Amino acid sequence: MKIMKFGGTSVGRPERMQHIAAMVTKETEPAIIVLSALSGTTNALVEIGEHLSHGDKAAAKKNIDQLETHYHDFISQLVTKPEASEKAKAIVAEHFEFLNIILRISFSEALSKDILAQGELLSTKLFSCYLEEQNIDHVLLPALEFMTIDSNDEPQIGSIKVKLSQLLQKNSDKKLFITQGYICKNARGEVDNLKRGGSDYTASLIAAAIGASVCEIWTDIDGMHNNDPRIVNRTVPVEQLSFDEAAELAYFGAKILHPASIWPAQTYKVPVKLLNTMQPDAKGTLITEKAGSVGVKAVAAKDNIIAIRVKSSRMLLAYGFLRKIFEVFEKYRTPIDMITTSEVAVSLTIDTDASLNDILKELEPFGTVEVDKDQTIISVVGNEISRTESIIKKLFGSIMNVPVRMVSYGGSPHNISLLIPAEYKKQILQQLNKGMFNL
Ligand code: ASP
Ligand code: MG
């Protein structure tokens, strides 16, 4: 059994959805197809939720109507036979009726999750409707019946495995399964989700739970590139990455893969392939346990980073100082990305300002606190790079004229990270492309 996940742009137009149907029916191996919402839908649903949370029902209603029109246009091109058209219209009507009912009840956090779930429910049901019209045998597996997270928002692999296996067993004569990415049930039994971009995570969790032969992530680019193609002119796909390398790249800014989606595949040893829907024959990127060759594979950039420096002579020869500082971040559930320390100061970075003021207030008693906003983390990733002298030389040789605020080196042998002011991002990515990749 293989997993094939298609992102929003891959299902975002009727002809693309039809193209995917043609692709998946060519498969000889049984497959579970995981779909995102049509591109733009989740953003629209987020907006609807925000309007409602501010009590602006008129604005929410306007967005709902706009989205409904979009879906009517979509299905009118997706299906043509009268029976399928009727069915597609009924699906759209059902979900927009739900959104219109929500307009009338009082808003809550749980309700906003219900709103967000409509995107994936719609995309999968409409896809199923098209498959039916084409007489393609398949089963729609409701993710809400097997995808669960616990009270810490962690997926419950054990129970996912049991429930999903039961569903598959019931349909053991079938070869093609469709399910929703992103959505799940939480510990309170409410509809919830795996956070933005979470469909990749769904795919990897399912792949892990059933021991899939491969987890294919189909997007609109031919794999993970060596540099950010939106910023740098010449970039090339990386053919092979280890899970460790891919995790660093995904976490530090390569937008193609949700960072949490690495661990399930890695733990359960399922290879991951990043492939391009528009160019299905392109090699893409294969991610496995294997480290591959020594050398720099790629650079990635993560924006909106805040650097915090705590300076204190009390740190000198003291123990327990770092623990107390870290406890502040733990209290406000704020992950730390980079850390560097000297004997009298510690610098660290976070990627959210949600609790920044509280954190700063609690750090004050420890010493002088300085904050730099609008920073970018540049991560250079590759097997054993921080143990390879020639690479380090090349790296620092190619970042001339960029003011580096922090360097994180040696934490992992596969990553060297630099913190720079955001306005130097383009320049440093270009310089690294030339210096490290000769591109
Ligand atoms: N539809 C969700 C989002 O846009 C999940 C996903 O696409 O992976 O975040
Ligand atoms: Mg995505």
Side-chain angles (χ1 to χ4, degrees):
M1 180 88 76
K2 73 192 298 195
I3 312 301
M4 301 171 84
K5 178 261 168 178
F6 294 91
T9 44
S10 304
V11 291
R13 288 212 225 122
E15 65 274 18
R16 297 222 174 122
M17 210 179 239
Q18 290 161 348
H19 169 64
I20 285 172
M23 271 176 67
V24 302
T25 42
K26 273 193 226 132
E27 289 298 325
T28 47
E29 197 180 348
I32 301 181
I33 313 302
V34 177
L35 298 187
S36 292
L38 313 193
S39 49
T41 297
T42 309
N43 286 343
L45 295 169
V46 167
E47 249 179 60
I48 291 168
E50 278 169 0
H51 287 315
L52 289 176
S53 74
H54 300 133
D56 192 348
K57 294 195 178 191
K61 175 69 180 153
K62 198 172 153 214
N63 283 14
I64 292 172
D65 290 346
Q66 266 170 3
L67 196 60
E68 188 169 0
T69 307
H70 178 69
Y71 275 84
H72 279 301
D73 292 345
F74 187 90
I75 58 172
S76 70
Q77 293 169 54
L78 180 70
V79 285
T80 46
K81 292 183 188 155
E83 212 177 308
S85 287
E86 284 315 306
K87 192 164 177 185
K89 275 185 204 152
I91 293 165
V92 172
E94 178 199 336
H95 289 278
F96 282 90
E97 209 174 282
F98 175 81
L99 289 172
N100 279 301
I101 289 172
I102 280 186
L103 274 180
R104 281 179 252 135
I105 47 188
S106 60
F107 183 80
S108 67
E109 190 60 30
L111 208 55
S112 78
K113 306 279 177 67
D114 275 313
I115 297 173
L116 292 177
Q118 302 309 305
E120 272 69 13
L121 292 170
L122 274 162
S123 65
T124 48
K125 286 188 192 177
L126 294 176
F127 186 57
S128 166
C129 185
Y130 175 71
L131 293 178
E132 216 172 276
E133 183 191 49
Q134 302 300 308
N135 289 319
I136 300 167
D137 195 24
H138 69 283
V139 181
L140 190 56
L141 298 173
L144 297 177
E145 281 181 25
F146 64 85
M147 191 54 71
T148 50
I149 51 175
D150 64 19
S151 51
N152 292 316
D153 292 350
E154 290 297 330
Q156 299 175 298
I157 281 259
S159 120
I160 294 168
K161 187 175 179 154
V162 172
K163 289 181 185 157
L164 185 55
S165 306
Q166 281 168 354
L167 288 172
L168 291 174
Q169 220 139 43
K170 266 196 223 157
N171 297 289
S172 55
D173 56 329
K174 298 288 201 276
K175 274 187 56 204
L176 184 60
F177 300 88
I178 320 296
T179 194
Q180 298 85 23
Y182 179 59
I183 63 174
C184 62
K185 285 253 172 100
N186 63 26
R188 294 180 296 276
E190 301 157 346
V191 173
D192 210 321
N193 61 63
L194 301 173
K195 312 261 158 63
R196 293 306 305 271
S199 295
D200 295 345
Y201 199 13
T202 302
S204 173
L205 287 166
I206 293 178
I210 64 161
S213 63
V214 61
C215 177
E216 296 180 349
I217 307 284
W218 291 84
T219 60
D220 51 5
I221 179 169
D222 52 349
M224 184 100 75
H225 276 224
N226 74 302
N227 204 329
D228 192 331
R230 292 163 305 182
I231 293 178
V232 176
N233 277 339
R234 258 179 311 208
T235 64
V236 288
V238 184
E239 265 183 42
Q240 201 261 327
L241 286 171
S242 69
F243 283 116
D244 290 336
E245 291 168 334
E248 306 260 17
L249 285 169
Y251 186 72
F252 287 113
K255 285 283 173 319
I256 180 166
L257 190 63
H258 189 284
S261 57
I262 302 288
W263 75 261
Q266 181 166 25
T267 312
Y268 291 83
K269 299 197 168 41
V270 182
V272 175
K273 271 188 189 166
L274 308 178
L275 297 158
N276 186 354
T277 323
M278 324 297 164
Q279 237 183 297
D281 296 327
K283 260 192 175 159
T285 301
L286 173 66
I287 307 169
T288 61
E289 208 50 65
K290 221 176 87 210
S293 53
V294 173
V296 178
K297 297 278 178 64
V299 300
K302 190 175 179 191
D303 297 318
N304 298 320
I305 301 293
I306 302 164
I308 302 171
R309 177 187 286 127
V310 185
K311 232 164 86 184
S312 167
S313 50
R314 280 201 292 145
M315 222 180 134
L316 201 66
L317 300 174
Y319 49 82
F321 189 83
L322 285 177
R323 177 177 55 77
K324 286 180 203 144
I325 287 183
F326 289 160
E327 271 172 359
V328 175
F329 291 86
E330 192 180 342
K331 180 172 169 190
Y332 292 100
R333 300 180 71 146
T334 302
I336 295 169
D337 285 333
M338 283 175 77
I339 317 165
T340 56
T341 69
S342 80
E343 197 45 55
V344 291
V346 52
S347 272
L348 39 82
T349 70
I350 56 177
D351 65 359
T352 163
D353 62 3
S355 303
L356 184 62
N357 290 337
D358 292 321
I359 289 172
L360 295 179
K361 212 174 276 156
E362 295 212 21
L363 287 176
E364 252 165 37
F366 295 104
T368 321
V369 182
E370 287 163 31
V371 181
D372 289 318
K373 292 190 182 174
D374 282 328
Q375 305 286 301
T376 293
I377 294 178
I378 303 291
S379 275
V380 183
V381 173
N383 186 35
E384 301 283 329
I385 56 167
S386 68
R387 295 195 184 127
T388 316
E389 208 180 302
S390 58
I391 293 176
I392 299 163
K393 231 169 143 175
K394 243 193 194 163
L395 170 61
F396 285 96
S398 44
I399 58 168
M400 298 227 275
N401 307 319
V402 178
V404 177
R405 162 81 164 76
M406 278 167 77
V407 178
S408 183
Y409 169 85
S412 146
H414 318 304
N415 176 327
I416 300 171
S417 291
L418 312 161
L419 187 74
I420 55 153
E423 68 258 34
Y424 286 91
K425 169 172 147 179
K426 190 171 175 182
Q427 182 187 334
I428 197 170
L429 287 180
Q430 283 168 339
Q431 283 176 212
L432 285 169
N433 218 40
K434 202 147 187 260
M436 307 301 292
F437 301 98
N438 290 322
L439 286 168

